[in-house]
Amino acid sequence: GAMMSDALLRLGHADAVKSYADWFAPHQFANGKVPCCVDVRGADPVPENDSPGEFLYLVAETYRTTHDRAWLEKLWPNVAAAARYMNELRLSERTPRNQTDERRAYYGLMPPSISHEGYSDRPAYSYWDDLWALAGYDGAVSIAKALNRIEDADRLSGERDEFLGDLEASVKHAIARHRIGYIPGSADRGDFDPT
């Protein structure tokens, strides 16, 4: 939805994107988790850890295109909750357990998930999730700044910068551990992923 919305924004269909975001936002879980999809059964609870970053990116890009501050203010509670949930996810992997040589590449990443459909056989530490998280952090920072929420922007910037440092270290560790000459699709598999 975020990528399709990005394309629609670029084609001048901001109203459709705002309608989609307005429809999707109420399906967010009470703890801030953003569902991977919504269907006739409701919000899907499967852990797909790209979703909060995608939602934050969607809202930020919509505002960047429309400059609709009232709309952005209305979605701030959803944005704040998604950013908080995303931060909790990354902190859950920022533990001493992930500071061993064997697990160092997982430190501070989004937890394993199946959001990258190529990993439906077993959850993976997918850089797909992490790159969306980084885009989500950037979006959350820009949203907080647009709403003059300076303390929130400063906190989110700090979280983003810490996450970026962990992500960069993870990529270096994964490349070394798997003895590869490319950025893998996931930290644990060391797989080549052209997407």
Side-chain angles (χ1 to χ4, degrees):
M3 291 191 300
M4 287 186 282
S5 293
D6 196 25
L8 287 169
L9 288 170
R10 292 166 192 251
L11 293 170
H13 296 284
D15 287 343
V17 174
K18 284 169 65 177
S19 293
Y20 168 66
D22 288 340
W23 171 82
F24 191 88
H27 294 285
Q28 187 176 19
F29 293 91
N31 66 351
K33 175 183 170 135
V34 176
C36 61
C37 63
V38 178
D39 59 21
V40 293
R41 296 169 298 187
D44 193 324
V46 172
E48 294 201 12
N49 298 329
D50 55 344
S51 299
E54 290 169 350
F55 177 75
L56 295 168
Y57 175 84
L58 164 68
V59 174
E61 287 301 295
T62 304
Y63 175 73
R64 186 180 67 77
T65 302
T66 66
H67 305 288
D68 187 340
R69 195 173 191 284
W71 179 82
L72 190 64
E73 188 73 52
K74 178 182 71 171
L75 284 178
W76 172 253
N78 301 90
V79 165
R84 185 173 51 253
Y85 180 77
M86 189 172 70
N87 196 57
E88 290 169 5
L89 288 178
R90 78 164 182 102
L91 290 176
S92 74
E93 296 294 329
R94 207 165 201 277
T95 64
R97 175 177 181 246
N98 286 337
Q99 290 183 316
T100 63
D101 286 342
E102 184 179 312
R103 297 186 57 85
R104 179 62 186 95
Y106 315 150
Y107 184 80
L109 298 183
M110 293 290 110
S113 84
I114 62 166
S115 53
H116 179 304
E117 279 70 16
Y119 304 145
S120 59
D121 61 330
R122 69 176 163 82
Y125 283 95
S126 170
Y127 288 126
W128 171 263
D129 292 349
D130 300 306
L131 293 172
W132 274 115
L134 185 58
Y137 272 120
D138 284 340
V141 169
S142 70
I143 292 166
K145 286 180 179 177
L147 295 175
N148 294 316
R149 295 178 175 272
I150 304 308
E151 288 181 18
D152 291 315
D154 289 345
R155 177 183 45 77
L156 289 163
S157 292
E159 292 169 2
R160 177 203 53 209
D161 294 348
E162 186 175 71
F163 176 69
L164 177 58
D166 291 343
L167 177 56
E168 289 174 343
S170 171
V171 169
K172 290 176 185 173
H173 284 286
I175 288 171
R177 181 167 183 259
H178 295 289
R179 296 185 175 129
I180 54 179
Y182 53 87
I183 297 172
S186 63
D188 47 338
R189 296 181 184 214
D191 53 328
F192 180 74
D193 180 8
T195 60

